[in-house]
């Protein structure tokens, strides 16, 4: 099958869809005034500022995104990162809180490169199973921004989000310094502040807080006295901000350690593990290495995890230690008896306690849900495999999971089955390296599109992104297609099928087995938005995703036309969506409309 290109019609760079500049600050203030001004009520009376809608709040929140040109300027002129934390403390004070107020949240602070979100989800669910009221702050969101702030595992309601958003926004507006050029925190900082306010006012028993990027200078690191800290698997990501080696990144991640506060990490390569140990020793932070999950299963039945994939066992092991330590620190009963710990094979860190998980812990692990990570949706002839992997190590884990899932669901019959890749990659990641890891899956079609649910942003405020321009994201998709085409041309080379090198010293358990050379070739297509890509992939065969008639010219390209016939006649269609959590979120928005309610 020859490789082809689908040229989009709508949304070309330079057209009205170009979002190269974020909404200016004066426009943001205008939006706020319009959203909070008194309006006629349903019975003819006036509504107060509290009646501003959820979408008004989201639109105004989006004005706090940094536009693309300014973001590039900041990256090239980075000053003292410590000043960012000091600025965050000032924002916190302006919002009506002091750093000491955060101590009341009984925080579990978690960082890492891979699996930190899953670890947070496991930890929160375990502690909720004890009857505790939990808060959970994470990023990014998949469908709606309120997913980032959760109470008892559920995104806060639109009403609660709207109330707390305008209360915080108005407080920051009233306390701005006329001499200051920046009177509002940026998008992520604002949501971090808002999460603290929500958790305090909702009186949660504990808050699980996921670091945004890095650790040392992340705005969540104004937390001074967490109950316990965790570091999930380390790898190379966000190199322009954190450094280009895993050791430099480990230094940033270890920045969340606090004096006297217990911390746990999973097995890491020697280099970054030594950095974490040094960071912990410098401030007298007791740091422990988590035993493998198998050690906690001895003497009892195997643990069942709510999240698929072998790599989740490491995240679950870390979550169990974090949850048990939190319960122990808070003198909670029923945390299980310890057994003798074995010496650490790495001889760098003391091994964390081995214990038998309690029934609450077992139920928590089993009932954990974390959409967009190793998630499977089965819809008639279509099966969707959703995983937001975006680093080399996480992509290796994703490919292993996908191939195992395909093997388990293998059908016997003569009717053809089709494999489709839907991919996008953002930021400073290496898309060529990620796509090379995906080649052994032998896709029939590779589809590339930006993280835009629709060509028009109307009604998609939760997924607007002003940090990139439209022409940038479309050109990047074409580059992805070009990389894929080159890989197709090189696939007969034996060197391509040697076991791919993991990130420096990466866990051997994630390495892929070598694949023999083959002559499989895939057609490739570029679409201007996720909706158009899904219309072509599904061909009307998904019982939930039933869009209106396809855009004019959707099948104009030979690959799109011939592929449409193949997809309509296939006995089964397997679609892997990966490369970006934002892409996965856009797909989920269309496949699961209930998530937008």
């Amino acid at each position: 099958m020859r490789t082809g290109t689908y040229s989009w019609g709508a949304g070309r760079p330079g057209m009205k869809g170009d979002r190269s500049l974020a909404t200016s600050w004066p426009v943001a203030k205008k939006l706020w005034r319009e959203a909070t001004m008194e309006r006629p009520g349903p019975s003819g009376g006036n509504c107060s500022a509290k009646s501003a809608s959820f979408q008004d709040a989201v639109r105004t929140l989006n004005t706090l995104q940094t536009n693309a040109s300014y973001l590039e300027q900041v990256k090239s002129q980075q000053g003292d990162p410590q000043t960012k934390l000091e600025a965050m403390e000032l924002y916190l004070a302006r919002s009506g809180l002091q750093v000491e107020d955060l101590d009341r949240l009984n925080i579990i602070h978690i960082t890492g490169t891979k699996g930190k979100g899953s670890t947070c989800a496991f930890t929160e669910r375990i502690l909720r199973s004890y009857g505790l009221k939990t808060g959970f702050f994470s990023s990014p969101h998949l469908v709606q921004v309120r997913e980032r702030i959760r109470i008892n595992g559920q995104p806060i309601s639109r009403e609660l989000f709207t109330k707390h958003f305008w209360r915080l926004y108005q407080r920051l507006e009233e306390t701005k310094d006329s001499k200051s050029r920046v009177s509002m925190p940026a998008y992520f900082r604002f949501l971090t502040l808002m999460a603290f306010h929500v958790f305090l006012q909702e009186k949660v028993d504990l808050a699980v807080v996921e670091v945004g990027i890095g650790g040392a200078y992340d705005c969540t690191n104004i937390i001074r006295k967490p109950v316990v800290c965790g570091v999930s698997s380390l790898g190379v990501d966000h190199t322009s901000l954190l450094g280009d080696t895993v050791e430099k990144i480990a230094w940033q991640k270890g920045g969340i350690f606090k004096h006297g506060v217990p911390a746990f990490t999973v097995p890491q390569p020697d280099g970054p593990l030594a950095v974490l140990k040094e960071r912990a020793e410098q401030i007298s932070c007791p740091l422990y290495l988590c035993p493998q999950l198998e050690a906690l299963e001895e003497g009892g039945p195997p643990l069942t995890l709510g999240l698929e994939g072998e790599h989740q066992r490491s995240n679950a092991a870390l979550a169990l230690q974090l949850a048990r330590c939190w319960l122990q620190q808070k003198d909670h009963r029923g945390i299980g008896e310890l057994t003798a710990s074995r010496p650490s094979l790495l001889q760098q860190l003391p091994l964390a306690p081995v214990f038998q998980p309690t029934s609450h812990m077992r139920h928590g692990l089993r009932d954990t849900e974390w959409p967009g990570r190793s998630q499977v949706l089965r819809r008639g002839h279509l099966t969707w495999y959703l995983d937001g992997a975006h680093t080399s190590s996480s992509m290796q884990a994703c490919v292993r999971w996908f191939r195992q899932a395909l093997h388990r669901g293998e059908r016997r019959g003569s009717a053809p089955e089709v494999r489709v890749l839907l991919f996008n990659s953002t930021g400073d990641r290496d898309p060529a390296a990620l796509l090379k890891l995906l080649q052994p899956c032998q896709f029939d079609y590779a589809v590339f599109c930006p993280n835009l649910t629709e060509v028009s942003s109307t009604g998609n405020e939760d997924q607007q992104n002003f940090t990139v321009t439209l022409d940038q994201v479309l050109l990047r998709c074409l580059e992805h297609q070009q990389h894929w085409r080159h890989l197709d041309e090189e696939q007969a080379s034996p060197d391509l099928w040697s076991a791919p090198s993991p990130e420096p010293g990466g866990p051997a358990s994630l390495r892929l087995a070598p694949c023999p050379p083959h002559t499989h070739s895939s057609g490739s297509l570029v679409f201007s938005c996720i909706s158009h890509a899904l219309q072509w992939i599904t061909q009307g065969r998904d019982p939930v995703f039933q869009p209106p008639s396809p855009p004019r010219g959707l099948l104009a390209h030979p690959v799109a036309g011939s592929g449409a016939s193949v997809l309509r006649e296939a006995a089964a269609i397997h679609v892997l969506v990966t490369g970006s959590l934002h892409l996965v979120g856009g797909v989920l928005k269309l496949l699961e409309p209930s998530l937008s309610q």
Side-chain angles (χ1 to χ4, degrees):
M1 187 178 294
R2 284 189 174 185
T3 302
T5 308
Y6 173 70
S7 299
W8 58 84
R12 292 189 185 93
M15 295 181 66
K16 288 185 179 180
D18 193 343
R19 301 178 303 182
S20 57
L21 292 177
T23 310
S24 65
W25 171 237
V27 175
K29 289 196 291 186
K30 179 175 181 290
L31 272 171
W32 175 69
R33 286 196 297 268
E34 289 176 351
T36 57
M37 67 186 293
E38 290 193 347
R39 304 176 181 178
S43 59
N46 286 332
C47 296
S48 69
K50 295 179 182 178
S51 66
S53 75
F54 170 69
Q55 292 303 334
D56 288 334
V58 176
R59 279 191 288 269
T60 306
L61 173 65
N62 286 344
T63 67
L64 303 181
Q65 293 185 38
T66 307
N67 70 47
S69 58
Y70 179 73
L71 194 65
E72 288 303 315
Q73 179 185 341
V74 169
K75 284 183 179 180
S76 63
Q77 301 175 349
Q78 287 189 21
D80 181 6
Q82 185 63 35
T83 60
K84 297 178 182 178
L85 280 181
E86 294 169 0
M88 186 64 180
E89 291 185 17
L90 290 175
Y91 284 128
L92 185 70
R94 283 175 52 198
S95 76
L97 295 176
Q98 298 300 320
V99 173
E100 292 74 21
D101 293 320
L102 306 185
D103 300 345
R104 293 186 278 132
L105 290 176
N106 298 317
I107 291 170
I108 299 173
H109 202 193
I110 300 175
T111 189
T113 306
K114 308 178 293 292
K116 67 180 186 292
S118 299
T119 300
C120 287
F122 278 130
T123 306
E124 183 277 333
R125 189 63 188 86
I126 290 170
L127 292 171
R128 182 157 37 105
S129 71
Y130 278 86
L132 296 163
K133 185 175 183 178
T134 62
F136 181 7
F137 177 63
S138 65
S139 61
H141 61 276
L142 292 178
V143 178
Q144 294 197 61
V145 66
R146 58 192 180 88
E147 297 166 23
R148 296 183 183 225
I149 304 173
R150 295 172 180 254
I151 302 291
N152 285 334
Q154 295 300 311
I156 59 174
S157 67
R158 289 173 173 238
E159 293 74 22
L160 198 62
F161 184 98
T162 305
K163 180 183 80 171
H164 283 288
F165 175 86
W166 290 119
R167 184 179 293 173
L168 176 58
Y169 196 96
Q170 188 168 7
R171 177 68 178 163
L172 292 170
E173 172 75 6
E174 290 170 349
T175 58
K176 68 183 181 183
D177 181 354
S178 59
K179 297 178 183 178
S180 174
R181 294 182 61 190
V182 181
S183 60
M184 280 287 172
Y187 186 95
F188 183 76
R189 290 187 180 196
F190 187 99
L191 288 171
T192 305
L193 292 170
M194 185 171 154
F196 292 148
H197 279 271
V198 170
F199 296 154
L200 284 167
Q201 292 181 40
E202 295 299 313
K203 295 181 172 57
V204 299
D205 295 315
L206 68 120
V208 178
V209 176
E210 179 188 0
V211 167
I213 295 178
Y217 305 117
D218 184 76
C219 67
T220 64
N221 208 30
I222 60 170
I223 298 165
R224 296 289 172 83
K225 293 183 180 179
V227 175
V228 61
C229 296
V231 181
S232 66
S233 295
L234 296 177
V236 177
D237 194 19
H238 298 294
T239 53
S240 62
L241 297 172
L242 304 180
D244 56 1
T245 69
V246 73
E247 286 78 16
K248 291 177 182 177
I249 289 169
W251 188 92
Q252 294 280 353
K253 307 291 184 181
I256 70 167
F257 295 157
K258 303 295 185 295
H259 175 78
V261 174
F264 297 84
T265 188
V266 299
Q268 311 278 7
D270 289 345
L273 193 65
V275 173
L276 290 179
K277 180 184 178 184
E278 182 181 358
R279 289 282 267 168
E281 289 174 345
Q282 286 172 349
I283 58 169
S284 300
C285 161
L287 177 62
Y288 301 93
L289 187 68
C290 293
Q292 299 284 352
L293 202 59
E294 289 80 3
L296 277 66
E297 291 176 314
E298 288 183 7
L303 293 165
T304 302
L305 306 186
L307 306 182
E308 290 191 19
E310 187 67 21
H311 57 288
Q312 295 294 355
R313 292 181 61 82
S314 169
N315 301 327
L318 176 56
L320 283 168
Q321 295 291 344
L322 294 172
R324 190 186 188 282
C325 181
W326 189 95
L327 292 165
Q328 185 180 42
Q329 296 283 95
K330 294 300 173 183
D331 296 321
H332 201 285
R333 294 182 179 181
I335 57 176
E337 295 297 322
L338 300 180
T339 59
S341 296
R342 298 168 183 167
S344 169
L345 296 177
L346 296 176
Q347 300 297 319
Q348 286 203 51
L349 293 176
L351 202 63
V354 174
F355 58 91
Q356 276 212 348
T358 66
S359 60
H360 289 304
M361 294 174 182
R362 289 179 173 276
H363 292 155
L365 291 175
R366 181 197 65 195
D367 297 339
T368 299
E369 296 179 352
W370 195 226
R373 290 81 171 174
S374 305
Q375 182 182 5
V376 179
L377 291 177
R378 292 181 173 85
R379 301 280 190 73
H381 295 282
L382 283 110
T383 305
W384 301 89
Y385 304 82
L386 304 151
D387 192 272
H390 51 268
T391 68
S392 292
S393 292
S394 60
M395 188 60 76
Q396 288 175 17
C398 170
V399 168
R400 181 177 294 279
W401 161 72
F402 176 65
R403 292 172 67 181
Q404 289 173 345
L406 284 178
H407 180 72
R408 287 195 303 268
E410 209 169 34
R411 304 184 187 187
R412 295 180 180 178
S414 56
E417 296 191 4
V418 180
R419 299 181 187 180
V420 181
L421 169 67
L422 180 56
F423 178 91
N424 192 34
S425 176
T426 62
D428 53 9
R429 290 153 188 122
D430 182 357
L434 299 180
L435 289 169
K436 184 173 182 177
L437 291 170
L438 287 160
Q439 283 277 304
C441 296
Q442 300 188 31
F443 294 102
D444 299 290
Y445 298 98
V447 177
F448 306 100
C449 69
N451 299 336
L452 304 172
T453 309
E454 307 283 353
V455 173
S456 168
S457 61
T458 305
N460 290 298
E461 289 85 357
D462 284 279
Q463 294 175 324
Q464 285 183 334
N465 182 2
F466 293 126
T467 64
V468 290
T469 64
L470 185 59
D471 55 344
Q472 284 175 329
V473 296
L474 291 173
L475 288 171
R476 190 171 174 99
C477 289
L478 288 172
E479 291 171 3
H480 294 159
Q481 185 191 41
Q482 193 72 13
H483 288 311
W484 188 260
R485 204 156 58 190
H486 288 160
L487 290 169
D488 255 357
E489 292 168 356
E490 295 170 359
Q491 64 185 349
S493 167
D495 291 340
L496 179 64
W497 303 111
S498 60
S501 300
E503 291 174 358
S509 61
L510 295 183
R511 292 177 186 158
L512 295 172
C515 285
H518 61 79
T519 57
H520 189 87
S521 181
S522 59
S524 59
L525 301 159
V526 171
F527 291 97
S528 57
C529 66
I530 298 169
S531 178
H532 290 180
L534 294 195
Q535 287 180 56
W536 182 79
I537 293 169
T538 61
Q539 293 296 314
R541 302 182 72 183
D542 188 293
V544 176
F545 179 70
Q546 294 292 328
S549 57
R552 189 176 177 183
L554 191 64
L555 304 180
H557 192 276
V559 170
S562 61
S565 301
V566 173
L567 291 165
R568 282 194 295 268
E569 296 168 5
I573 303 170
H574 303 278
V575 188
L576 175 63
V577 184
T578 192
S580 166
L581 270 171
H582 299 286
L583 174 67
V584 168
V587 170
L588 275 173
K589 178 181 173 68
L590 296 173
L591 295 182
E592 296 277 23
S594 61
L595 295 176
S596 299
Q597 303 305 312

